[in-house]
Amino acid sequence: MSSYTVSNLAHLEAESIFILREVAAQFENPCLLFSGGKDSICCAHLAYKAFWPSRIPFRFVHVDTGHNFQETLDYRDRFVAKLGVELLVGSVQATIDAGRAREEKGPNASRNALQTVTLLETLEAHGFDAAIGGARRDEEKARAKERVFSHRDEFGQWDPKNQRPELWSLFNGRKAPGEHFRVFPLSNWTELDVWNYIKQEQVELPSLYFAHQREVIERGGTLLAHTPFVTPRDGEEIQTRTVRFRTIGDATCTGAVESEAADLDAVIAEVAAARQTERGTRADDKRSETSMEDRKRAGYF
């Protein structure tokens, strides 16, 4: 790793730790949104470093669609136990069963959009006034409009035209009753920065991120893992390919990429050469040109 990269990572780490400490100082009851994906893992590791030797002063929240990869859930439980933090799990299935969300129908049905309802319910039920997320500005064009301290109204909605200036790293956490903030400490990181930092810090990751043989189904140009939630349709067949996942989410819409990258060095080299963003493998982002922004306006991550 070059000295420039080390210097850049040190700057990014210091900035993120400063943001996390600002969250602890400005908000009464923050939480960290933890999916078991690399970006939320990176946020959690930064929080560990920010408050060491004290414990992380906020709880973790996972919104479980019920269609997660088992590898992700197993990793989540190990990681949270290691950190010694309390994990709250919001269940999309429970939201559906209670009649507060309706299961999508049709061939491309997904629970991804339903996460918004469960997330907002969980934040309200526990009185969280800030939710820390691992979103980065290079992920998707709607993410680039986000502030580090992203204001949400009393309905949990995001208005990109009603965000506050953040000059000289001054973050304004003032809010009216019922409002809250989403906070993004990795805003200035890239996917490659995250991978280099994970290597530098020797952080364990879920096995899904590394090349392995897996049964997949090719659907609309996306390789979906064959699971109880994704089964072949007419004209489709189950194939065994060597793949890995660049992003981890709901198994019904998270695509794999064919890859031989089985370790961190190989993954970093592959990411550095990639010409498609990691969310290019997400089927839910392909529904429309503004699908991410539409979900964010409604209260999505």
Side-chain angles (χ1 to χ4, degrees):
M1 188 180 298
S2 69
S3 59
Y4 170 78
T5 302
V6 172
S7 175
N8 183 51
L9 291 178
H11 171 78
L12 291 171
E13 179 189 66
E15 179 185 58
S16 297
I17 285 175
F18 170 74
I19 292 166
L20 288 163
R21 289 173 177 167
E22 279 293 295
V23 172
Q26 293 197 39
F27 298 100
E28 294 182 4
N29 187 23
C31 67
L32 189 148
L33 302 177
F34 188 76
S35 67
K38 69 182 187 311
D39 297 322
S40 64
I41 292 167
C42 188
C43 271
H45 180 76
L46 287 161
Y48 171 78
K49 295 189 75 170
F51 301 104
W52 172 261
S54 298
R55 295 178 64 179
I56 297 173
F58 33 76
R59 290 173 284 180
F60 285 21
V61 171
H62 179 216
V63 176
D64 183 359
T65 66
H67 293 166
N68 292 98
F69 294 99
Q70 189 58 47
E71 295 98 321
T72 305
L73 298 178
D74 293 342
Y75 175 92
R76 177 200 69 184
D77 294 340
R78 290 197 311 272
F79 187 81
V80 168
K82 182 179 178 180
L83 286 181
V85 296
E86 181 183 354
L87 174 69
L88 301 172
V89 179
S91 168
V92 172
Q93 184 62 57
T95 302
I96 294 170
D97 292 343
R100 294 188 294 272
R102 181 177 297 178
E103 191 92 68
E104 288 186 2
K105 305 297 182 183
N108 296 315
S110 168
R111 289 186 172 183
N112 217 35
L114 305 188
Q115 292 181 87
T116 299
V117 180
T118 305
L119 172 62
L120 294 175
E121 287 180 346
T122 304
L123 295 178
E124 183 176 5
H126 295 278
F128 292 122
D129 55 358
I132 302 163
R136 307 182 324 272
R137 287 178 177 144
D138 71 324
E139 279 184 75
E140 200 273 345
K141 57 189 177 184
R143 299 284 203 200
K145 299 179 182 180
E146 198 87 74
R147 295 289 195 269
V148 175
F149 273 33
S150 178
H151 175 265
R152 304 298 170 107
D153 66 18
E154 64 271 25
F155 301 106
Q157 296 175 327
W158 173 67
D159 180 1
K161 296 181 180 179
N162 189 29
Q163 298 295 307
R164 297 164 183 182
E166 293 180 337
L167 304 176
W168 306 294
S169 296
L170 296 175
F171 302 113
N172 183 350
R174 290 188 178 181
K175 55 182 175 48
E179 298 176 344
H180 72 275
F181 278 79
R182 308 288 171 84
V183 180
F184 303 106
L186 303 185
S187 288
N188 292 325
W189 296 56
T190 65
E191 182 186 8
L192 193 58
D193 290 329
V194 171
W195 278 108
N196 277 310
Y197 186 71
I198 286 169
K199 179 185 176 182
Q200 173 185 289
E201 299 293 300
Q202 299 182 336
V203 179
E204 180 192 359
L205 290 177
S207 58
L208 289 168
Y209 279 116
F210 302 100
H212 58 286
Q213 285 201 325
R214 197 178 198 96
E215 290 186 342
V216 296
I217 298 168
E218 186 168 356
R219 180 173 298 165
T222 299
L223 295 178
L224 298 176
H226 177 222
T227 66
F229 325 116
V230 180
T231 55
R233 300 174 184 164
D234 290 343
E236 295 178 342
E237 60 180 17
I238 300 172
Q239 308 171 48
T240 300
R241 299 196 193 178
T242 302
V243 301
R244 73 175 192 87
F245 293 84
R246 289 180 68 187
T247 179
I248 293 177
D250 189 298
T252 64
C253 60
T254 302
V257 293
E258 291 195 89
S259 172
E260 298 292 334
D263 58 38
L264 280 171
D265 286 330
V267 169
I268 289 169
E270 187 176 272
V271 170
R275 292 296 175 264
Q276 182 185 51
T277 67
E278 62 197 290
R279 290 199 68 92
T281 62
R282 294 292 293 265
D284 52 319
D285 285 356
K286 299 177 183 178
R287 292 187 173 191
S288 76
E289 285 293 317
T290 61
S291 57
M292 171 64 82
E293 182 159 337
D294 293 341
R295 294 200 303 274
K296 283 174 62 61
R297 285 177 182 271
Y300 187 71
F301 305 109

